[in-house]
């Protein structure tokens, strides 16, 4: 199989200082325009992908950060860029570009054995016990009315368990009203997170949550707002990492947590596995016997359209490079490995419209299939 030839359609150096600022992160999702986020210690800069491709290096929005970049979980921004969500160690804050605090939701501290509440970051900024906390994540629904956050509970005002065992999971998934943080619904996750990430579904009432528990597993949860409550279903016995949802919402994709060998396509909403693609036995003739164990990389794998996603494999040792693939999630075959005009080290991320991007530190490149000759 000849595979896919990639054609470069845009390249830009994203503004930022390597080693000082976090590398750029893509924010995509069904019905969302692709954005590029650069987290700095004092602010979050947001760029429109289309603007960057056109050579405009001016941020579309800039949000003052309530705490340094090393503190807290994955940030999110509203579709209209009216506010950004900053999940922290002790609270989640919605901040507007002016610096105005729209709202704050405090929760139990994520750090180690700390079971208390904090009023501000300054209370623990210099405390070594808070240096490497666990963390949650956030997402703003595509219609802009709902904010999803994964926090450590109990929340202020909740009844605390009599047994304050720090090993007991009290993590909570909240759906909040974007305007004022009113709790629309909540549910216990039963997880023990080191970190988490949200994966949006086209239906604004539905959200996926992947929770990383280190070597213990990766719980996968689907939540649905229904009749004033949050219905939560767990899939896969903590064995699958949720990496993407097709733009039509009919399928979601996971990678097995233990080895990374299996890329599985599931039917939504019941989770039935409709096919598995093995990294070292792919239909593209990619044996890994001579270079070590080959596995799918645990990265977000965005879609080019309703059925084709970009994905990457790498090996456990040796000099074999990361390889990119376009995978048809309906047939689990089709378009094969990607050939680039020059070496590409970064991971691919589909951003819709038949395009995918690679981010090598601050160097962003946009690709598409080269026209048939």
């Amino acid at each position: 199989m000849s595979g896919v030839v990639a054609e470069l359609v845009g390249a830009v150096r994203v503004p930022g200082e390597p080693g000082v600022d976090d590398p750029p992160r893509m924010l995509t999702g069904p019905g969302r325009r692709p954005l590029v986020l650069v987290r700095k210690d004092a602010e979050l800069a947001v760029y429109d992908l289309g603007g960057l491709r056109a050579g405009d290096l001016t941020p579309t929005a800039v949000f003052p950060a309530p705490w340094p970049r090393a503190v807290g979980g994955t940030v999110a921004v509203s579709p209209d860029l009216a506010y950004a969500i900053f999940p922290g160690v002790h609270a989640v804050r919605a901040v507007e570009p002016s610096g105005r605090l729209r709202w704050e939701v405090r929760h139990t501290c994520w750090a180690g054995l700390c079971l208390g509440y904090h009023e501000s970051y300054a209370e623990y900024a210099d405390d070594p016990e808070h240096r490497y906390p666990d963390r949650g994540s956030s997402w703003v629904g595509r219609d802009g009315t709902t904010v999803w956050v994964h926090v450590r509970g109990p929340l202020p005002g909740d009844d605390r368990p009599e047994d304050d065992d720090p090993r007991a999971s009290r993590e909570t998934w909240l759906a909040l009203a974007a305007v004022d943080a009113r709790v629309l619904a909540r549910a216990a996750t039963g997880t023990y997170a080191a970190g988490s990430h949200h994966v949006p579904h086209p239906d604004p009432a539905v959200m996926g949550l992947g929770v990383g528990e280190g070597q213990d597993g990766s719980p996968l949860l689907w939540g649905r707002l229904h009749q004033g409550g949050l219905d939560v279903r767990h899939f896969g016995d903590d064995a699958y990492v949720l990496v993407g949802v097709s733009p039509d919402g009919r399928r979601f994709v996971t990678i097995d947590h233990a080895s990374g060998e299996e890329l599985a396509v599931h039917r939504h909403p019941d989770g039935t596995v409709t096919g598995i693609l093995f990294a070292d036995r792919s239909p593209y003739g990619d044996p890994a016997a001579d270079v070590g164990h080959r596995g799918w990389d645990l990265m977000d794998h965005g879609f080019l359209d309703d059925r084709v996603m970009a994905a990457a494999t790498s090996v456990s040792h040796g000099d074999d490079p990361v390889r990119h693939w376009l995978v048809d999630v309906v047939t689990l075959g089709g378009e094969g490995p990607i050939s680039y005009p020059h070496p590409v080290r970064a991971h691919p991320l589909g951003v819709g419209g038949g395009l995918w991007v690679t981010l090598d530190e601050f160097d962003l490149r946009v690709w598409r299939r080269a026209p048939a000759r």
Side-chain angles (χ1 to χ4, degrees):
M1 182 176 293
S2 60
V4 176
V5 177
E7 179 181 57
L8 183 67
V9 296
V12 66
R13 178 77 174 179
V14 179
E17 188 174 351
V20 176
D21 304 328
D22 282 347
R25 178 173 71 89
M26 290 296 307
L27 189 152
T28 65
R32 295 285 300 263
R33 58 173 168 158
L35 300 173
V36 180
L37 277 55
V38 179
R39 180 68 160 92
K40 307 169 183 286
D41 265 346
E43 65 185 30
L44 172 71
V46 181
Y47 301 85
D48 180 78
L49 178 61
L52 288 175
R53 288 181 61 192
D56 184 359
L57 302 183
T58 304
T60 306
V62 177
F63 301 91
W67 35 68
R69 63 191 176 95
V71 178
T74 306
V75 300
V77 298
S78 65
D80 60 0
L81 302 184
Y83 59 91
I85 303 297
F86 292 88
V89 175
H90 76 284
V92 178
R93 287 185 177 176
V95 180
E96 298 178 358
S98 66
R100 174 180 175 267
L101 178 64
R102 175 174 287 202
W103 48 255
E104 176 185 73
V105 173
R106 288 196 300 138
H107 54 75
T108 304
C109 178
W110 274 107
L113 302 182
C114 180
L115 298 177
Y117 304 117
H118 301 292
E119 293 289 341
S120 70
Y121 168 68
E123 292 185 18
Y124 55 87
D126 299 320
D127 181 5
E129 298 297 325
H130 286 72
R131 189 167 298 163
Y132 303 107
D134 298 325
R135 57 192 64 197
S137 59
S138 64
W139 191 269
V140 182
R142 63 179 293 182
D143 62 1
T145 64
T146 306
V147 175
W148 301 76
V149 293
H150 172 218
V151 302
R152 191 181 186 196
L155 275 63
D158 291 347
D159 292 331
R160 280 190 173 274
E162 294 183 4
D163 180 11
D164 274 340
D165 182 354
R167 297 167 297 178
S169 171
R170 293 186 291 275
E171 294 171 17
T172 302
W173 201 4
L174 299 172
L176 307 173
V179 64
D180 58 7
R182 174 173 49 89
V183 177
L184 303 175
R186 59 185 292 178
T189 63
T191 54
Y192 299 82
S196 68
H197 66 283
H198 285 78
V199 177
H201 188 274
D203 182 345
V206 178
M207 183 64 65
L209 179 68
V211 180
E213 296 183 334
Q215 65 182 9
D216 294 331
S218 182
L220 189 166
L221 294 74
W222 279 107
R224 182 179 185 86
L225 292 172
H226 180 65
Q227 296 182 348
L230 179 57
D231 297 336
V232 176
R233 297 183 63 187
H234 291 245
F235 287 96
D237 298 324
D238 301 351
Y240 296 99
V241 180
L242 178 62
V243 297
V245 179
S246 62
D248 61 12
R250 297 178 180 179
R251 299 169 181 86
F252 63 93
V253 179
T254 66
I255 295 173
D256 74 286
H257 175 269
S259 67
E261 293 180 354
E262 301 177 11
L263 184 152
V265 179
H266 306 251
R267 188 172 60 213
H268 190 275
D270 61 24
T272 299
V273 175
T274 60
I276 297 175
L277 188 60
F278 294 90
D280 59 355
R281 287 184 279 134
S282 78
Y284 314 126
D286 181 37
D290 296 332
V291 295
H293 169 76
R294 180 173 292 280
W296 297 101
D297 289 341
L298 296 177
M299 306 289 288
D300 291 340
H301 295 77
F303 280 75
L304 280 65
D305 53 39
D306 281 342
R307 60 186 295 166
V308 176
M309 65 179 292
T313 60
S314 58
V315 295
S316 56
H317 63 272
D319 297 326
D320 196 57
V322 172
R323 298 186 186 180
H324 295 179
W325 316 86
L326 293 187
V327 176
D328 187 319
V329 299
V330 177
T331 65
L332 285 183
E335 303 191 58
I338 302 173
S339 299
Y340 291 95
H342 53 74
V344 173
R345 297 179 298 172
H347 300 271
L349 175 66
V351 293
L355 303 175
W356 70 94
V357 303
T358 56
L359 269 166
D360 187 357
E361 288 292 326
F362 286 79
D363 292 322
L364 183 150
R365 292 178 173 84
V366 185
W367 306 90
R368 67 183 179 193
R369 303 177 187 86
R373 298 185 183 279

